[in-house]
Amino acid sequence: MSRKLHVLIAASVLALAVSASAAQAQTTVTFWHSFNNKSGEALEEIIGKYEAANPEVDVQAEYVGNYNDIVARLQAAIPANRAPDAVILEVTRYGLFADGGVLADLTPYFDADPLKDELYDYARQIGVIGDKNYIVPFNSSTPVLYYNKDIFARAGIEGEPDLSTFEQIADAAQTVSDALASEGITGIAAPGQFARWGLVMANGSDLIDATTGEILLDDPKTIEAYEWMASLVHDRQLASADGVTEEDNGRDAFLAGKVGIMMNSTGNYVGARDALGEDLGVLPMPCNDGCAVPIGGAGIGILANSPQEAQDAAYDFVSYAASAEANAIWFAATGYLPINRNSAEQPVAAEALASQPGIDVAINSLPNAHGRARTPVVTWMRTNEYDMWQAMALGQRPVEETLIQFAEETRAEEARTSN
């Protein structure tokens, strides 16, 4: 064997050994999330960029389902020791796991991370309960009001409409229904839970006070907002009942050009734009009795019982996911709010702002945006609110009676779980 060939073989063996050693040294981070379709593609791009810069970390991402699915699966996985290292948790639901010691306190990581100075104030507050930080925001949103410009024009509503009060919205929906019902077009989609929360806040109230934890489900302003929402379905028949029993139906009908108005997350912007093109109109949520919108979306938490090296690697990925580079990719691909002050300076975000009319509406609403309660009882309340809403919207139970009873049940649940 020639010396040259011997050297080449030795070098190849060494390279393979180094490669195998590096592979063995990789830290795996299992990550459960709730994003598919275009959102899932954007997440994959972010993970790919992170792994390319950090080959020692392998982020194994798994789509689990929606926010409710993640909560249910996590509750089942924890006692079986099958929980992931990191998980997407909706901003009002993570308290359920923080309270039980399931989530790691990220405060030491966050305090030492220069990222904290780049985040908007609202984004820094989302993950905090008491004096501990349990999640770092990833996808943040507010509800906005979408309308179909073509439908409005065909119904005789010219120009950009003023839809800043409940009755202005109802009047526009009535005009659309009167003019186009024969074409199978309805005026408005029944509001989903995020929009319902937003409409309560737009009427000067809340479901649970974010600061004090006071249950406000039976507040007169809350009752008034639900009475108006329910009237869209049962009394005025401006919204289809099938959007009450299955909330995605209203969104899908709007995207199909069969509904005039939809109030939904800014995270639906890109999908709505793809579906309607130049016919998509975007407006802020109404200011019926003061201007206020809820902050929605989710952040990434890290499981407290994961190995320390997995927690360290998970936080490194979480920090990158909230960076200007990653957040700009996410914002441009989905329409979710920027969480990083420097995201808009990134070319991909600047292009989106310049070329996609309406994508900035939620950003402009941020001065009126407020975090929501995130104590453990919120998860219980949100789960049960769906049935309460269905009974009210379908005319099966009176609104005031239903909300008074629901408020009492929520207070009892809070007392039970706090003991």
Side-chain angles (χ1 to χ4, degrees):
M1 180 182 296
S2 70
R3 183 176 183 279
K4 182 177 181 180
L5 182 59
H6 179 81
V7 170
L8 287 172
I9 291 173
S12 298
V13 170
L14 179 60
L16 287 170
V18 170
S19 176
S21 176
Q24 291 171 356
Q26 266 195 334
T27 299
T28 297
V29 174
T30 55
F31 173 40
W32 287 1
H33 65 86
S34 56
F35 308 112
N36 57 6
N37 302 323
K38 285 201 169 184
S39 297
E41 292 171 8
L43 177 61
E44 288 175 6
E45 180 180 354
I46 290 168
I47 292 172
K49 285 182 177 292
Y50 174 77
E51 290 181 333
N54 299 273
E56 71 281 5
V57 180
D58 175 23
V59 179
Q60 295 188 354
E62 179 184 352
Y63 170 74
V64 172
N66 62 29
Y67 296 144
N68 292 331
D69 296 332
I70 284 182
V71 168
R73 185 163 169 185
L74 194 57
Q75 287 175 319
I78 289 166
N81 293 317
R82 294 179 179 176
D85 300 307
V87 60
I88 278 281
L89 290 168
E90 194 271 337
V91 295
T92 66
R93 294 178 173 94
Y94 73 87
L96 181 69
F97 301 103
D99 187 65
V102 173
L103 295 178
D105 176 13
L106 304 182
T107 306
Y109 290 114
F110 195 69
D111 285 350
D113 191 345
L115 169 75
K116 70 179 184 297
D117 297 323
E118 298 180 23
L119 298 184
Y120 285 106
D121 291 344
Y122 85 85
R124 288 201 300 269
Q125 296 165 3
I126 284 172
V128 176
I129 297 178
D131 59 354
K132 296 181 179 180
N133 194 332
Y134 291 101
I135 64 172
V136 174
F138 177 66
N139 57 302
S140 291
S141 61
T142 66
V144 294
L145 187 151
Y146 299 98
Y147 70 99
N148 187 311
K149 294 180 181 179
D150 177 64
I151 287 177
F152 269 47
R154 286 160 53 203
I157 304 173
E158 300 294 340
E160 183 174 281
D162 184 356
L163 302 177
S164 56
T165 69
F166 288 177
E167 283 313 304
Q168 286 173 325
I169 293 170
D171 287 346
Q174 187 70 63
T175 298
V176 168
S177 292
D178 289 346
L180 302 175
S182 61
E183 299 179 29
I185 293 175
T186 54
I188 189 169
Q193 192 181 78
F194 189 31
R196 294 196 293 276
W197 203 317
L199 290 165
V200 168
M201 291 177 69
N203 202 45
S205 189
D206 209 328
L207 302 183
I208 298 178
D209 187 277
T211 303
T212 66
E214 180 185 1
I215 308 300
L216 298 173
L217 290 162
D218 53 355
D219 183 272
K221 290 289 186 180
T222 303
I223 293 170
E224 183 179 74
Y226 269 96
E227 286 176 336
W228 179 77
M229 290 186 279
S231 76
L232 297 174
V233 184
H234 181 64
D235 299 329
R236 309 187 199 196
Q237 298 184 352
L238 301 176
S240 175
D242 71 351
V244 174
T245 53
E246 178 50 64
E247 292 188 355
D248 287 348
N249 287 343
R251 178 204 62 196
D252 294 344
F254 179 82
L255 299 181
K258 295 296 184 181
V259 172
I261 300 169
M262 173 181 75
M263 288 171 281
N264 214 318
S265 168
T266 183
N268 284 289
Y269 172 84
V270 169
R273 182 79 177 171
D274 288 346
L276 300 183
E278 297 300 319
D279 287 332
L280 179 67
V282 188
L283 294 171
M285 289 289 282
C287 296
N288 200 63
D289 186 3
C291 296
V293 291
I295 292 290
I300 305 176
I302 297 172
L303 278 293
N305 64 351
S306 289
Q308 190 60 54
E309 63 271 17
Q311 292 189 42
D312 293 344
Y315 184 81
D316 194 58
F317 167 67
V318 168
S319 179
Y320 173 72
S323 70
E325 178 187 36
N327 186 228
I329 293 169
W330 183 253
F331 163 69
T334 65
Y336 276 102
L337 286 169
I339 60 172
N340 193 301
R341 296 179 189 274
N342 301 321
S343 296
E345 300 171 5
Q346 301 290 313
V348 66
E351 180 182 353
L353 286 166
S355 63
Q356 302 183 53
I359 199 171
D360 62 340
V361 168
I363 300 172
N364 296 335
S365 297
L366 281 177
N368 301 322
H370 301 278
R372 293 175 289 166
R374 40 200 180 266
T375 49
V377 76
V378 177
T379 301
W380 183 92
M381 183 275 291
R382 294 196 66 176
T383 299
N384 289 278
E385 189 268 352
Y386 290 106
D387 289 338
M388 301 298 112
W389 161 244
Q390 181 170 319
M392 292 183 287
L394 300 182
Q396 297 165 349
R397 293 187 60 184
V399 173
E400 183 173 5
E401 172 190 304
T402 301
L403 288 176
I404 289 173
Q405 179 182 337
F406 187 35
E408 292 172 353
E409 292 172 352
T410 305
R411 292 185 185 105
E413 176 65 16
E414 182 179 46
R416 184 187 70 80
T417 55
S418 62
N419 292 334

